[in-house]
Amino acid sequence: MTTIKNPVIPCVTSLPGGCLKVGSMIIIRGQPTFNCNRFSINLVHQGNMHCIFHFDARFDQGQVVRNTNFPSSTWGHEERSTLLFTRNKPFFMEIRCLQDRFMVAIDGNHYCEYSHRVSYSQANTLQITGDVQVSMIEFRSANTYPTFPSGNRLNVTNPPIPFASLINGPLAVGNEIQVQGQVKPHPNRFHINLQQGCQTYPSPTIAFHFNPRYEGGNRVIVMNSLLGGQWGSEQRIATGRHLAPGTTFVLSIKRQAYNFAILVNGTCIANYAHRIGADIIDSVSIDGDVIVKKVVAI
């Protein structure tokens, strides 16, 4: 194990052993600055400083971008997910190298995966740049991931929208996701997804998509599933008095043996038969014209 304390940023340091190996773990403890715009954590090839794995936290966009530009300096397609860092708030981050991908955990919770586009062994240097202070970098081998799991079941108050988070545990039969919030006064639409992974691109597998729509005064709730980038047939119900513009609500999505039961303020408004095995669900995402006061896994 090798430890570096309080490195000066920008930081460029060689990886122990000369390159990444399967099972390598990099742990970074840091804190975005109070006025952070962006910071990057990169695994690069020292010969040309091109990125095997580029992890770019963008506060100006509210997203994390992942990419590769080795060996040609040309960037590939971006993979994006919702930013979980907070300005001036400490974090610890783990990057684990597997045979086919990198896995990233933030504060003890799995955050994302990134499939290798070139050989991980080309990475021989860690580079950290931007608006971040780092108190420690640790290089080690690890058989467990996350190394320091939080163990915290999803329970978030007043999250920003768009929102995406791991549930941190199974959504078993009898469990539910509960969202407390308020429809905006003049909504177009919003959605709540139960899905596999909390990335936004590439599109995750969505076991259940709950999508109230208000365009043109036609109030309808659309439910669907997304598999392999393809939507299935829509199941539609009228919104009725539920989820009207400007109203507050408590929405529960309960997993049952063969379907999801959807309740608004204690009243069951719909059932949605499982089209995809619900055991894959590990994340919740919310976006659109809604104010969310609380999201909790029960």
Side-chain angles (χ1 to χ4, degrees):
M1 183 174 69
T2 302
T3 302
I4 301 172
K5 294 186 177 180
N6 300 312
V8 175
I9 305 298
C11 168
V12 177
T13 185
S14 297
L15 301 180
C19 68
L20 277 180
K21 301 176 178 64
V22 171
S24 295
M25 177 81 81
I26 301 171
I27 298 173
I28 300 166
R29 295 183 181 270
Q31 180 173 310
T33 60
F34 75 95
N35 60 349
C36 180
N37 185 41
R38 296 185 179 189
F39 69 88
S40 294
I41 298 172
N42 302 317
L43 293 169
V44 304
H45 183 77
Q46 190 175 29
N48 54 21
M49 296 305 288
H50 294 162
C51 295
I52 284 77
F53 179 42
H54 173 64
F55 183 96
D56 192 31
R58 301 182 180 181
F59 284 80
D60 56 331
Q61 297 178 4
Q63 300 215 304
V64 167
V65 172
R66 299 174 294 280
N67 212 334
T68 296
N69 71 344
F70 179 89
S72 65
S73 80
T74 300
W75 290 106
H77 67 270
E78 294 181 343
E79 298 183 17
R80 290 176 173 253
S81 51
T82 302
L83 184 77
L84 296 186
F85 301 101
T86 302
R87 290 185 177 101
N88 219 32
K89 181 180 178 180
F91 68 86
F92 72 90
M93 175 175 164
E94 303 170 64
I95 304 173
R96 188 181 186 199
C97 180
L98 300 182
Q99 185 70 41
D100 59 342
R101 65 193 185 277
F102 294 110
M103 299 179 70
V104 179
I106 298 174
D107 295 333
N109 298 314
H110 173 67
Y111 174 64
C112 68
E113 300 180 2
Y114 185 81
S115 297
H116 298 316
R117 301 184 184 179
V118 296
S119 173
Y120 56 83
S121 63
Q122 295 289 345
N124 55 24
T125 302
L126 174 68
Q127 177 192 57
I128 304 177
T129 65
D131 305 323
V132 65
Q133 299 171 333
V134 175
S135 60
M136 188 199 74
I137 303 170
E138 186 176 296
F139 302 95
R140 60 160 71 179
S141 295
N143 295 321
T144 59
Y145 168 89
T147 309
F148 308 105
S150 71
N152 293 329
R153 189 83 161 157
L154 174 64
N155 189 339
V156 179
T157 303
N158 298 319
I161 300 298
F163 168 78
S165 175
L166 290 158
I167 296 169
N168 296 327
L171 187 69
V173 172
N175 289 153
E176 67 181 77
I177 300 298
Q178 187 180 97
V179 180
Q180 301 175 27
Q182 181 177 6
V183 182
K184 289 187 175 181
H186 305 287
N188 185 33
R189 59 175 65 184
F190 71 91
H191 68 251
I192 300 169
N193 294 336
L194 304 187
Q195 60 192 50
Q196 182 182 39
C198 52
Q199 78 275 7
T200 55
Y201 182 84
S203 297
T205 296
I206 300 174
F208 180 55
H209 172 69
F210 182 83
N211 181 207
R213 301 179 183 178
Y214 304 86
E215 297 101 328
N218 297 317
R219 299 178 185 176
V220 64
I221 295 172
V222 174
M223 295 174 287
N224 210 335
S225 299
L226 180 71
L227 178 63
Q230 299 294 319
W231 288 106
S233 58
E234 294 181 344
Q235 179 177 330
R236 292 177 170 236
I237 60 170
T239 304
R241 60 185 176 83
H242 303 290
L243 303 174
T247 59
T248 59
F249 63 84
V250 178
L251 187 145
S252 298
I253 304 172
K254 290 187 175 184
R255 180 183 172 184
Q256 298 181 334
Y258 303 105
N259 62 274
F260 295 108
I262 301 91
L263 295 88
V264 177
N265 300 330
T267 300
C268 185
I269 64 167
N271 290 288
Y272 182 85
H274 298 314
R275 301 182 185 178
I276 299 169
D279 286 340
I280 71 163
I281 296 169
D282 61 11
S283 303
V284 179
S285 70
I286 305 173
D287 200 1
D289 300 321
V290 65
I291 299 166
V292 176
K293 299 176 181 177
K294 190 170 186 176
V295 185
V296 60
I298 301 173

